[in-house]
Amino acid sequence: MREYSIAAIPADGIGPEVIAAGTTVLESLQKRMGDVKFNVETFDWGSAYYRKHGAMMPADGLAKLKKFDAIYFGAVGAPDVPDHITLWGLRLPICQGFDQYANVRPTKILPGITSPLRNVGTGDLDWVIVRENSEGEYAGCGGRVHRGLPEEVGTEVAIFTRVGVQRIMRYAFRLAQSRPRKLLTVVTKSNAQRHGMVMWDEIADEVSKEFPDVRWDKMLVDAMTVRMTLKPQTLDTIVATNLHADILSDLAGALAGSLGVAPTANIDPERRFPSMFEPIHGSAFDITGKGIANPVASFWTASQLLDHLGEADASARLMRAVEKVTGAGIMTPDVGGTATTKDVTDAVVEAIQSSNV
Ligand code: IPM
Ligand code: MG
């Protein structure tokens, strides 16, 4: 029996609903596979915890999480707690403290889901965006002086280090190499940003020599939005800075039909620390408690979690089950269906147990 410990942090908004659905699906896989066991321990951290204790998680939060094999995360964000507190109090300290420098965001058009692009369907769009997750524009380097005065200054300095760029490039080239098309697009803005971005390009070129079987090209980020929209078939693996990939991954989610299905993995490729898996969609307060949150992103990210643990069969089975269910039109309202979170979850569980998935 292969056993894994998973720390679940459902946190805010629809987070608890979709993580509960995901945990049900993991239990179902455990039953179906028979030789694997997931021990899920849930932590009540988040905005409710903040209202009680004045912090999003306890001071020894990271020490508590460190011993787990993976972290399964819901969403943070609450109407009455400022965003920078919820974000910098829980999710970012985990990403940064555990040096989860590779943020991996797969996108494809699932069966049954319609892309807003004309003549683009399942199979035309199958991308993985690799987002640099530890530095760049999110380094938090900057400050404000002369507050409130006419001469006030605010700086937000993007930091690019050779180590940081090299490791994300290697990760992206390796991932591209593992996919059938062996195709990587490096996103840049070195025409306008002539220091960090020029170094980014140079390091991409150096690292590419280690991967002679990977075809790669370079795109300026503005032109990249056009290529994603007009020629989605020409892209496969994509690597971009923290901010560029943040923007491009929202576009990717929209082009694939819904942000409600988009997953993300915050990975420490060296496996010194647990990696963290989460849906991209956020806390969605407008639909919290209504039972209609789309659980597909949390299933998809659970499949990324299983891949990371080396459970490729379970991961593939889960995605086949999800695609069978979306293909049958069992979907929540955000993607045009009438099903509830529970309907979708029950259908995925049934598909997992059925012999033809
Ligand atoms: C994302 C989100 C976050 C980000 C926000 C909530 C700060 O947009 O995961 O893409 O920009 O990293
Ligand atoms: Mg974003």
Side-chain angles (χ1 to χ4, degrees):
M1 183 74 74
R2 299 181 302 285
E3 278 197 46
Y4 301 102
S5 60
I6 297 171
I9 310 176
D12 300 346
I14 59 171
E17 297 167 54
V18 298
I19 294 300
T23 309
T24 303
V25 156
L26 284 175
E27 278 163 12
S28 170
L29 279 167
Q30 177 173 299
K31 185 166 154 214
R32 179 69 168 82
M33 310 287 295
D35 55 359
V36 57
K37 190 161 185 325
F38 306 109
N39 300 313
V40 180
E41 188 179 326
T42 302
F43 293 86
D44 65 348
W45 305 342
S47 296
Y49 188 94
Y50 175 82
R51 284 182 211 107
K52 235 189 277 163
H53 304 278
M56 293 288 287
M57 65 172 163
D60 64 347
L62 288 194
K64 286 205 165 75
L65 293 176
K66 194 164 187 278
K67 64 174 201 293
F68 286 86
D69 293 315
I71 303 164
Y72 194 27
F73 193 88
V76 282
D80 58 333
V81 185
D83 280 346
H84 66 271
I85 290 186
T86 52
L87 197 69
W88 285 96
L90 188 59
R91 187 172 154 255
L92 289 181
I94 298 174
C95 287
Q96 297 191 347
F98 288 161
D99 204 13
Q100 295 162 343
Y101 65 80
N103 182 272
V104 181
R105 303 187 157 187
T107 311
K108 59 186 168 184
I109 303 173
L110 297 178
I113 293 184
T114 315
S115 167
L117 295 175
R118 230 182 311 131
N119 304 324
V120 170
T122 308
D124 287 323
L125 191 160
D126 184 358
W127 305 333
V128 185
I129 298 180
V130 176
R131 170 178 180 181
E132 202 296 315
N133 211 30
S134 66
E135 53 176 35
E137 308 86 346
Y138 281 58
C141 177
R144 284 177 63 179
V145 289
H146 310 308
R147 275 186 190 246
L149 298 174
E151 55 271 60
E152 180 168 358
V153 181
T155 57
E156 195 75 52
V157 182
I159 303 290
F160 295 95
T161 65
R162 176 163 282 278
V163 167
V165 177
Q166 221 166 32
R167 65 186 189 175
I168 200 66
M169 287 297 169
R170 285 210 173 100
Y171 186 88
F173 271 95
R174 212 174 293 127
L175 181 65
Q177 192 177 47
S178 74
R179 289 170 52 90
R181 292 171 74 189
K182 300 190 194 304
L183 175 62
L184 177 69
T185 300
V186 176
V187 176
T188 183
K189 191 63 193 176
S190 49
N191 55 347
Q193 298 179 306
R194 60 202 173 127
H195 307 294
M197 285 284 86
V198 173
M199 185 179 86
W200 170 270
D201 290 2
E202 283 171 14
I203 294 174
D205 195 50
E206 287 164 27
V207 170
S208 75
K209 309 274 192 298
E210 299 167 21
F211 300 86
D213 56 336
V214 174
R215 274 185 302 139
W216 73 287
D217 55 20
K218 219 163 50 184
M219 285 300 291
L220 296 171
V221 64
D222 46 350
M224 184 65 172
T225 60
V226 178
R227 181 163 163 197
M228 286 167 71
T229 310
L230 299 183
K231 295 184 180 163
Q233 302 86 351
T234 68
L235 294 163
D236 187 84
T237 310
I238 296 160
V239 63
T241 69
N242 217 329
L243 180 62
H244 291 167
D246 175 40
I247 298 165
L248 296 179
S249 60
D250 263 30
L251 175 61
L255 296 179
S258 169
L259 259 190
V261 303
T264 186
N266 300 284
I267 306 246
D268 164 26
E270 278 78 45
R271 295 169 185 271
R272 297 154 295 173
F273 304 103
S275 293
M276 179 162 70
F277 301 82
E278 56 174 336
I280 294 186
H281 52 56
S283 47
F285 270 88
D286 50 333
I287 58 161
T288 300
K290 294 192 174 156
I292 53 164
N294 192 339
V296 168
S298 71
F299 297 158
W300 196 341
T301 199
S303 139
Q304 289 187 291
L305 184 158
L306 292 166
D307 268 329
H308 185 72
L309 296 178
E311 294 294 335
D313 285 352
S315 163
R317 180 179 296 277
L318 173 52
M319 281 317 284
R320 285 196 301 273
V322 167
E323 293 188 3
K324 187 174 168 191
V325 168
T326 58
I330 305 171
M331 291 185 291
T332 46
D334 57 299
V335 276
T338 53
T340 62
T341 311
K342 182 168 186 311
D343 295 335
V344 178
T345 308
D346 289 349
V348 170
V349 164
E350 193 184 314
I352 288 171
Q353 301 304 331
S354 77
S355 54
N356 62 351
V357 162

